[in-house]
Amino acid sequence: MSDARWVDVEDDISSSVQHFSRSVEIFERNGFMGDDLSAYMARMALMQAIQSGYTSLEAGLERILEILGEEKPTGGANYHSDLLRRVSREIEGNRPAIPSGPLAEAVDEARRFRHVARRAYDSFRIDGAASAVRSAAIIRDELPEAIGRFKMIMDGNANPAE
């Protein structure tokens, strides 16, 4: 599994963690209410940070599937949810889930928020973003270790039960 393409995966994961970290910081600064430019910029920055975090994470997951020789889901309206469902599932005898448990749930919440940021940004509500920001914090805190553990298992350097 010591494949040079892991450098690209690590870059994507690092980018994802940075964007999710910044989204938490933006949320904590507040300033979202109102029609002035400052409130607009705060709302747009939060949506973009979470969207960018998820996009980088998804790119890393796609690269992992490529390294493993697994096909990505077919395109279409359900591609993003299908990809997440696929990588969050253990394939017995082949590989463990990549994100699992609470981390997989947090990634799914970020995926759903990404849809809001891409399609329904004019109806964005800050109170509805709180769940996505909590998920961003979970991803920030747990993703690097989960990816590292997955790589070690696939390299044969760790016990899957750890």
Side-chain angles (χ1 to χ4, degrees):
M1 179 66 112
S2 293
D3 187 309
R5 293 176 289 179
W6 275 101
V7 171
D8 300 323
V9 171
E10 290 163 0
D11 287 347
D12 288 336
I13 298 308
S14 178
S15 176
S16 177
V17 167
Q18 178 186 10
H19 291 302
F20 282 124
S21 294
R22 292 296 188 184
S23 73
V24 173
E25 291 176 53
I26 292 165
F27 186 78
E28 289 171 349
R29 280 194 175 183
N30 209 334
F32 302 103
M33 304 310 288
D35 294 325
D36 63 344
L37 181 58
S38 179
Y40 173 83
M41 289 172 58
R43 290 189 301 269
M44 290 297 123
L46 179 63
M47 285 190 285
Q48 183 62 37
I50 293 176
Q51 178 177 324
S52 296
Y54 184 81
T55 300
S56 295
L57 171 54
E58 191 171 85
L61 294 172
E62 290 171 333
R63 289 181 197 274
I64 290 171
L65 290 181
E66 184 178 309
I67 290 168
L68 298 175
E70 285 186 38
E71 298 267 335
K72 292 187 288 188
T74 56
N78 296 323
Y79 174 79
H80 303 286
S81 60
D82 290 347
L83 175 66
L84 183 54
R85 189 171 37 259
R86 165 110 41 99
V87 299
S88 299
R89 180 182 321 157
E90 174 184 1
I91 298 181
E92 198 167 326
N94 188 22
R95 67 160 174 81
I98 301 172
S100 61
L103 177 59
E105 292 170 14
V107 172
D108 193 40
E109 178 65 23
R111 179 193 60 80
R112 286 191 299 269
F113 185 85
R114 177 181 175 269
H115 182 78
V116 170
R118 291 192 68 215
R119 306 250 189 249
Y121 46 83
D122 285 335
S123 62
F124 170 77
R125 293 181 41 215
I126 195 61
D127 56 337
S131 178
V133 173
R134 284 191 299 275
S135 293
I138 292 168
I139 296 166
R140 172 198 66 199
D141 296 343
E142 296 183 15
L143 182 63
E145 184 179 332
I147 296 297
R149 186 173 47 250
F150 177 83
K151 184 178 183 293
M152 287 179 63
I153 291 167
M154 296 309 293
D155 280 345
N157 297 327
N159 183 337
E162 290 180 349

